[in-house]
């Protein structure tokens, strides 16, 4: 596809080792393991996309990133308390400083969200409802702009037409839950989770956006944009 932009939509690292969840020692991943695995993934992503120079972003999220609700900074705030607000500490213990590769090839940038085109946002999200598509409705009602989110680990979509009135033009808001790319079987958080693996391909211009949601099932994915199954 040679994408112009790749968005890793948050929770790229689980950071389970510093979570508040009770841990089963048989399933706990160390910070070093997660960090090294992420660096290997980013190097592969770099090598694949280097010929066409894709922009690579990672969105702030509740597990990864520097946000107020990120697992990393909640842990630091609890462990080192007031020290964590010092500028030198915030800089040297930032999520990027600790978990991004300190290599010349590294192109990933941490951002709050990515606006692909006017009124179409990619962000991690912060609303969770029971089934796929329901969280999309919840976030649509919160933001009233078109978005792709990943927080729920499920796939689904919801659409709403806002009719024209006065000077307000008619528009359609579209919201997509984008699935996840984590291992679903053997999840450390719960049994029989109703998650789905998947991703989205977005074609866009200044006025139009087309989203193809690609569901990964039994290690295969059918991609209409490519006209093939991988």
């Amino acid at each position: 596809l040679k994408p112009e932009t790749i968005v890793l939509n948050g929770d790229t690292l689980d950071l389970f080792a510093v979570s508040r969840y009770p841990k089963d020692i048989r399933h706990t991943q160390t910070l070093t393991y997660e960090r090294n695995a992420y660096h290997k993934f980013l190097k592969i992503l770099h090598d694949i996309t280097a010929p066409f120079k894709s922009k690579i972003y990672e969105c702030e999220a509740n597990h990864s990133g520097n946000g107020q609700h990120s697992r990393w900074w909640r842990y630091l705030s609890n462990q080192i308390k007031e020290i964590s607000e010092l500028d030198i500490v915030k800089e040297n213990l930032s999520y990027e400083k600790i978990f991004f590769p300190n290599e010349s090839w590294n192109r990933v940038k941490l951002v709050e969200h990515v606006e692909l085109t006017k009124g179409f946002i990619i962000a991690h999200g912060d609303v969770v409802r029971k089934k796929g598509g329901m969280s999309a409705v919840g976030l649509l009602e919160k933001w009233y702009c078109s978005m792709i989110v990943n927080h729920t680990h499920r796939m689904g979509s919801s659409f709403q037409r806002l009719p024209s009135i006065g000077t307000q033009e008619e528009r359609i808001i579209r919201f997509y839950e984008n699935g996840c790319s984590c291992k679903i079987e053997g999840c450390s958080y719960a049994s029989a989770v109703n998650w789905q693996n998947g991703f989205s391909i977005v074609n866009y211009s200044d006025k139009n956006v087309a989203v193809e949601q690609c569901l990964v099932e039994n290690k295969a994915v059918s991609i209409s944009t490519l006209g093939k199954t991988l």
Side-chain angles (χ1 to χ4, degrees):
L1 288 170
K2 298 182 179 180
E4 177 183 283
T5 301
I6 296 171
V7 183
L8 309 171
N9 203 5
D11 289 353
T12 48
L13 294 177
D14 185 64
L15 302 183
F16 189 58
V18 297
S19 75
R20 297 177 182 176
Y21 281 89
K23 298 175 180 65
D24 182 337
I25 194 65
R26 296 169 296 178
H27 301 291
T28 299
Q29 297 179 135
T30 66
L31 290 178
T32 300
Y33 171 85
E34 282 202 74
R35 184 174 180 267
N36 290 343
Y38 190 38
H39 289 189
K40 289 178 182 177
F41 165 75
L42 288 175
K43 185 61 168 67
I44 293 169
L45 186 61
H46 164 77
D47 291 348
I48 292 171
T49 60
F52 39 93
K53 300 178 181 179
S54 299
K55 297 176 183 176
I56 302 174
Y57 296 103
E58 177 182 345
C59 290
E60 296 274 13
N62 59 306
H63 286 230
S64 61
N66 284 318
Q68 183 178 356
H69 302 292
S70 75
R71 181 167 279 179
W72 178 240
W73 276 99
R74 280 183 294 167
Y75 172 78
L76 290 180
S77 299
N78 183 58
Q79 295 298 314
I80 61 178
K81 303 186 186 303
E82 289 79 5
I83 296 174
S84 64
E85 73 170 324
L86 296 173
D87 289 341
I88 191 170
V89 173
K90 286 190 285 188
E91 178 182 348
N92 286 285
L93 292 181
S94 71
Y95 175 80
E96 304 103 298
K97 196 88 168 183
I98 300 298
F99 296 109
F100 281 5
N102 184 25
E103 303 287 349
S104 60
W105 53 260
N106 177 42
R107 286 182 287 134
V108 63
K109 294 182 179 179
L110 183 68
V111 295
E112 181 66 33
H113 61 268
V114 175
E115 186 168 16
L116 282 182
T117 188
K118 184 178 179 180
F120 194 92
I121 306 292
I122 301 177
H124 186 67
D126 59 2
V127 172
V128 178
R129 293 184 178 175
K130 190 174 182 180
K131 296 179 180 178
M134 291 182 176
S135 301
V137 174
L139 277 160
L140 186 152
E141 292 169 348
K142 181 176 182 178
W143 292 108
Y144 277 94
C145 69
S146 295
M147 295 183 77
I148 295 178
V149 296
N150 277 73
H151 182 54
T152 62
H153 295 237
R154 295 190 290 258
M155 300 194 75
S157 60
S158 183
F159 303 82
Q160 184 170 331
R161 173 182 171 269
L162 299 180
S164 62
I165 182 170
T167 59
Q168 175 181 283
E169 296 182 356
E170 174 189 327
R171 63 190 177 109
I172 295 178
I173 303 172
R174 293 171 286 177
F175 230 103
Y176 302 89
E177 294 176 65
N178 199 34
C180 64
S181 57
C182 62
K183 183 179 179 181
I184 294 177
E185 295 302 323
C187 167
S188 300
Y189 296 100
S191 60
V193 293
N194 64 341
W195 300 347
Q196 299 98 47
N197 289 141
F199 58 92
S200 292
I201 298 171
V202 186
N203 287 286
Y204 60 93
S205 64
D206 291 340
K207 295 184 178 180
N208 298 299
V209 178
V211 177
E212 179 183 357
Q213 290 194 292
C214 302
L215 175 69
V216 180
E217 185 177 13
N218 297 323
K219 299 183 179 180
V221 55
S222 296
I223 303 176
S224 295
T225 306
L226 290 176
K228 63 177 67 175
T229 296
L230 304 176

